[in-house]
């Protein structure tokens, strides 16, 4: 959810509610019935603030129910999201005014601190949802569906291995036996579904002449740097940093004959795609990870708030 001009009405409404509530509180403290000790949770003013704060919490909590029951047509999703953000945030000052800026006993202290954590985590989550999609668009131009990232990474690892096969076998295997096995594996569509038929033909042609002349430095570079990065054994510099990776590949190009430059470019492209997928996965975790704090604590707050109301009515 982006925070843009569509939030203006909610912003003005929230400011108006806060000013009215704050003005009323100031009047009640200085000239009203609670001028001596200030309002408390059990006073008429405190109860009104408590009802408002609890109502805002319940409205914010209904967003989760609306998401689960998609057949509900009560308002647009954008309305509920904006209301969740602004009214959920307003719940905190309402609770402060309800309690006269005091935490009170054990249960009310727990409720207040839960409210702090939930509101802060919600604000952080809103900032993440506003900023991260733009950052992802800039740094991950080849963004893919999040659930498919592991599968795409496996395909890229297989493609990198096929590209590097121009350097010959890794373990001293008989060249003809190795070539037949690699050519057969190259035609296995299940592990190379993202390759076009033309691409498979190109790699098969390269296998027919492997190992290429002057490919020893490329083979060493692939086994030492590229392969561990592509298969996920190492996500440390230099290949996870685009600037350092570009410099490293440029240095390798100087060591290789001209016919192998295209192969090196293919490996650089694959590393770039792997790096983007890792960045997308990290951003996705930042974008959604805060919910693991926000949602369970919100549910706990609603349950404890109901308990607080029941206990308060019992002894009122």
């Amino acid at each position: 959810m982006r925070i843009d001009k569509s939030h203006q009405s909610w912003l003005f409404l929230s400011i108006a509610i806060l000013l009215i509530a704050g003005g009323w509180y100031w009047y009640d403290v200085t000239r009203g019935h609670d001028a001596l000790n200030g309002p408390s949770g059990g006073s008429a003013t405190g109860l009104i603030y408590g009802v408002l704060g609890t109502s805002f919490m319940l409205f914010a909590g209904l967003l989760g129910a609306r998401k689960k029951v998609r057949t509900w047509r009560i308002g647009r999703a954008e309305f509920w999201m904006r209301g969740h953000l602004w009214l959920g945030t307003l719940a905190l000052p309402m609770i402060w005014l309800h309690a006269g800026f005091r935490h009170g006993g054990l249960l009310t202290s727990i409720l207040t601190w839960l409210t702090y954590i939930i509101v802060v985590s919600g604000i952080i989550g809103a900032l993440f949802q506003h900023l991260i999609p733009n950052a992802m668009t800039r740094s991950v131009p080849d963004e893919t569906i999040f659930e498919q990232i592991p599968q795409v990474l496996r395909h890229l690892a297989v493609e990198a291995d096929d590209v590097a096969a121009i350097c010959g076998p890794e373990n001293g295997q008989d060249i003809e036996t190795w070539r037949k096995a690699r050519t057969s594996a190259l035609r296995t569509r299940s592990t190379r579904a993202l390759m076009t038929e033309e691409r498979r033909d190109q790699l098969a042609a390269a296998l027919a002449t492997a190992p290429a002349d002057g490919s020893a430095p490329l083979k060493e570079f692939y086994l030492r740097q590229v392969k561990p990065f592509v298969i996920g054994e190492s996500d440390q510099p230099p290949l996870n940093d685009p600037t350092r990776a570009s410099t490293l590949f440029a240095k390798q190009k100087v060591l290789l004959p001209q016919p192998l430059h295209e192969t090196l470019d293919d490996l650089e492209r694959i590393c770039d795609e792997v790096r983007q997928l890792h960045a997308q996965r990290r951003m996705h975790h930042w974008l959604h990870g805060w919910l693991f704090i926000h949602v369970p604590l919100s549910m706990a707050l609603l349950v404890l708030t109901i308990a607080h109301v029941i206990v308060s009515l019992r002894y009122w």
Side-chain angles (χ1 to χ4, degrees):
M1 178 183 62
R2 291 186 54 79
I3 302 175
D4 50 25
K5 291 183 178 180
S6 64
H7 286 257
Q8 281 185 350
S9 58
W10 282 101
L11 172 62
F12 295 147
L13 175 63
S14 299
I15 293 175
I17 292 174
L18 196 57
L19 289 176
I20 292 171
W24 184 9
Y25 182 88
W26 176 83
Y27 173 82
D28 200 62
V29 169
T30 57
R31 300 183 182 182
H33 296 292
D34 300 312
L36 182 60
N37 298 313
S40 64
S43 67
T45 302
L47 286 174
I48 292 173
Y49 288 130
V51 170
L52 285 174
T54 303
S55 299
F56 292 162
M57 289 181 188
L58 291 175
F59 181 89
L62 285 174
L63 174 66
R66 190 189 184 280
K67 286 183 176 180
K68 291 184 179 297
V69 186
R70 297 187 180 275
T71 56
W72 286 5
R73 301 298 180 187
I74 309 174
R76 300 179 62 185
E78 293 82 359
F79 169 83
W80 285 90
M81 288 292 295
R82 292 163 190 152
H84 177 90
L85 173 62
W86 291 101
L87 295 185
T89 303
L90 269 181
L92 179 57
M94 293 302 108
I95 296 304
W96 278 339
L97 298 176
H98 162 66
F101 295 92
R102 294 183 291 269
H103 282 190
L106 177 61
L107 179 57
T108 52
S109 294
I110 293 174
L111 286 169
T112 305
W113 280 104
L114 279 177
T115 306
Y116 292 156
I117 297 171
I118 291 165
V119 170
V120 170
S121 64
I123 293 173
I124 292 173
L127 291 175
F128 283 169
Q129 291 182 352
H130 179 77
L131 299 174
I132 289 179
N134 287 336
M136 189 177 296
T137 300
R138 292 192 301 268
S139 60
V140 189
D142 296 328
E143 181 182 356
T144 188
I145 298 173
F146 176 76
E147 289 75 13
Q148 294 181 356
I149 288 179
Q151 179 184 0
V152 176
L153 286 173
R154 287 193 295 269
H155 283 299
L156 288 172
V158 170
E159 183 181 0
D161 205 43
D162 289 336
V163 170
I166 196 173
C167 302
E170 299 178 7
N171 53 7
Q173 187 178 2
D174 175 72
I175 187 66
E176 291 300 327
T177 303
W178 171 83
R179 187 175 289 138
K180 289 179 181 179
R182 292 304 301 259
T183 302
S184 175
L186 190 59
R187 297 300 178 185
T188 305
R189 293 180 180 270
S190 61
T191 56
R192 293 161 175 82
L194 299 184
M195 288 187 190
T196 64
E197 192 66 34
E198 181 182 2
R199 178 61 170 162
R200 280 191 285 268
D201 290 340
Q202 291 175 350
L203 294 174
L207 276 174
T209 59
D213 293 337
S215 62
L218 179 60
K219 181 177 180 179
E220 180 184 359
F221 175 61
Y222 174 73
L223 295 177
R224 179 170 48 88
Q225 296 275 10
V226 176
K227 186 173 183 177
F229 176 71
V230 170
I231 67 176
E233 290 184 354
S234 172
D235 60 352
Q236 301 303 311
L239 292 184
N240 70 335
D241 180 271
T243 302
R244 295 181 63 180
S246 179
T247 302
L248 185 61
F249 274 96
K251 290 180 179 179
Q252 289 298 317
K253 187 168 287 189
V254 176
L255 303 176
L256 299 176
Q258 182 65 35
L260 291 177
H261 287 186
E262 184 177 354
T263 300
L264 188 66
D265 289 341
D266 285 338
L267 291 176
E268 185 174 13
R269 171 187 57 79
I270 291 171
C271 287
D272 182 61
E273 291 184 29
V274 170
R275 184 168 53 249
Q276 289 186 44
L277 291 172
H278 287 325
Q280 180 184 344
R281 184 155 54 186
R282 287 194 298 270
M283 290 182 183
H284 181 89
H285 290 156
W286 278 106
L287 190 60
H288 300 281
W290 63 277
L291 290 171
F292 290 100
I293 296 175
H294 188 76
V295 173
L297 291 185
S298 296
M299 296 175 64
L301 178 64
L302 289 174
V303 172
L304 290 177
T305 299
I306 294 172
H308 172 66
V309 171
I310 294 173
V311 171
S312 299
L313 290 176
R314 183 176 179 181
Y315 293 101
W316 188 43

